[in-house]
Amino acid sequence: MGNTAEKLKILPLEDLHIKARAKFGAFSGWNMPISYPVGVMKEHLHTRCFSGLFDVSHMQVIAMEGPDIDAFLSFALPLDTTTLFSGQSCYTYMLDEKAGIIDDLMITRLGKDRFIAVVNASNATVDIDEFRCRIANFNCAIRPLNHIVLLSLQGPKAAEIMCSLGFSNEKLTFMHGYEPYDGWLVTRSGYTGEDGFEIALPIDVAHAFTERLLADHRVQWAGLAARDSLRLEAGLCLHGQDITTETNPVEANLTFAIPKSLRGKAGFVGADALSKALITPPVRLRVGLKPNTHQPVRAGSMLFDENGRQIGIVTSGGFGPFFGGPVAMGYVATSCARPGVKLFTNVRGKMIIIAVHSLPFVPQRYFKG
């Protein structure tokens, strides 16, 4: 990869990926394992049927603490932290003043004045700068954690595997976590639509722990390509494609992450614009899309109605191995945002039918008790 590879950040567990003969590629400034010798299809299906192990150490973990941390987070994000008890996680996003989505992230309360946030690698610098700007009037601090490993164990066998390694998770439900050891955080969460766990742990113990996981025949490495196809089947957004500063939570169909107690109220960045968006019928909506072809439809493909008028765009597209065919997501005019509506798009010079489809494409199987 020449000089380009030398400039990329290296995962702490890169030697294990090399040992597994991973195919690497550049992603958000990191040298990331894209796939392994078994191939993306098998990695995807193994995750759905057993358990896939993802190294997501490129994502930025941020410690947040201080006497004013609740007040700060309730200002910086459309979030009511008083509803989160210790060990509870939530999905949220950072908005700009126009209610555009700067990034989506996960927040976990670890104690009265302590939180952990996990943000996307591509937006880590922007997020940290924005947090530091918004924190000026609050007595608290944020601290990026740069010497940890973040693993994601996903799939229906994940709970059994964690239990076999001594982690008590019988009472741990989706979007909850705990600190089993000093410097560790285990949350029952993930971005595949499956039951699973995200494990943040110190670098000095990460190799041994990862090798213990891989020693279980039910665990198989899965790369960035399978992570993308899994999240697409599950109807989950990818920041930079499905959500950007040009999209707001209403048109992105992400209003579930806005607490009802905050709707129509000021107090957080972007509140005024979001309030207007909540009461104004959106011009477009994010939907699932099912192409009538064996060929995947890629991001950027234009969508047309039967009269040839452009009424939308594909933002994510690929093959859904578990679904058994091509799947996509995108934005369409609100009048067309109903399952079954037939639209058209161009695939390799040929116009094909692409129908609006409900999300997710495969059932989400989070463990909620």
Side-chain angles (χ1 to χ4, degrees), residues 294-361:
H294 296 297
Q295 296 293 328
V297 174
R298 300 302 181 185
S301 299
M302 300 302 175
L303 300 170
F304 304 91
D305 66 13
E306 59 184 6
N307 296 316
R309 293 175 298 187
Q310 184 185 334
I311 48 81
I313 189 171
V314 175
T315 53
S316 283
F319 188 79
F322 199 77
F323 181 74
V327 291
M329 282 197 297
Y331 287 83
V332 301
T334 304
S335 60
C336 298
R338 303 185 312 278
V341 171
K342 291 183 179 180
L343 305 174
F344 300 86
T345 192
N346 190 308
V347 176
R348 296 185 177 181
K350 180 181 179 181
M351 295 300 288
I352 59 104
I353 295 173
I354 183 168
V356 176
H357 194 281
S358 58
L359 292 173
F361 292 98

Side-chain angles (χ1 to χ4, degrees), residues 19-298:
K19 180 181 178 181
R21 294 187 294 140
K23 177 182 178 181
F24 288 88
F27 180 78
S28 298
W30 290 80
N31 193 35
M32 292 294 295
I34 305 301
S35 62
Y36 298 85
V38 297
V40 177
M41 175 85 75
K42 289 185 178 179
E43 293 169 34
H44 182 116
L45 294 175
H46 191 90
T47 302
R48 289 269 184 252
C49 299
F50 299 99
S51 190
L53 180 63
F54 302 81
D55 187 343
V56 289
S57 302
H58 63 303
M59 300 185 75
Q60 180 68 62
V61 181
I62 305 171
M64 303 178 165
E65 53 194 355
D68 291 347
I69 193 63
D70 281 275
F72 163 64
L73 287 174
S74 295
F75 167 72
L77 307 169
L79 185 64
D80 181 3
T81 59
T82 63
T83 64
L84 298 178
F85 53 82
S86 186
Q88 188 173 3
S89 304
C90 75
Y91 170 84
T92 186
Y93 24 74
M94 181 186 290
L95 302 178
D96 62 21
E97 291 288 359
K98 296 180 180 179
I101 302 172
I102 295 173
D103 201 3
D104 60 341
L105 59 148
M106 293 285 289
I107 292 279
T108 303
R109 182 188 284 278
L110 299 182
K112 182 177 181 296
D113 299 327
R114 296 173 57 226
F115 286 83
I116 284 285
V118 180
V119 305
N120 289 302
S122 59
N123 263 29
T125 300
V126 172
D127 291 351
I128 292 169
D129 288 346
E130 193 63 38
F131 274 130
R132 285 176 172 158
C133 179
R134 298 180 185 190
I135 208 170
N137 298 318
F138 298 92
N139 182 16
C140 52
I142 67 167
R143 179 167 49 93
L145 303 179
N146 298 320
H147 300 289
I148 62 171
V149 166
L150 186 61
L151 300 172
S152 184
L153 183 70
Q154 300 287 298
K157 299 299 181 181
E160 293 177 20
I161 294 162
M162 289 292 284
C163 187
S164 72
L165 295 180
F167 292 85
S168 177
N169 52 47
E170 295 88 351
K171 297 181 180 179
L172 195 68
T173 55
F174 181 57
M175 298 300 276
H176 292 78
Y178 68 111
E179 298 174 278
Y181 312 111
D182 185 37
W184 289 60
L185 175 64
V186 174
T187 59
R188 199 158 193 170
S189 58
Y191 217 60
T192 63
E194 296 293 332
D195 183 23
F197 301 83
E198 294 185 312
I199 308 141
L201 68 164
I203 288 178
D204 59 352
V205 295
H207 274 76
F209 176 73
T210 304
E211 288 178 328
R212 288 180 67 197
L213 282 172
L214 293 168
D216 192 309
H217 70 278
R218 296 169 293 184
V219 179
Q220 185 179 94
W221 276 124
L224 210 60
R227 182 175 171 85
D228 190 53
S229 59
L230 286 157
R231 68 90 194 165
L232 179 53
E233 274 191 341
L236 302 174
C237 294
L238 177 64
H239 190 274
Q241 289 188 198
D242 307 301
I243 49 176
T244 69
T245 53
E246 300 303 313
T247 55
N248 66 52
V250 177
E251 60 191 358
N253 270 321
L254 295 176
T255 52
F256 71 87
I258 307 168
K260 291 183 179 180
S261 61
L262 295 184
R263 299 184 186 190
K265 294 185 178 181
F268 58 87
V269 177
D272 290 344
L274 183 59
S275 293
K276 292 177 182 177
L278 285 166
I279 62 174
T280 305
V283 173
R284 61 176 189 162
L285 286 171
R286 179 176 64 92
V287 297
L289 297 161
K290 182 181 181 299
N292 184 24
T293 176
H294 296 297
Q295 296 293 328
V297 174
R298 300 302 181 185

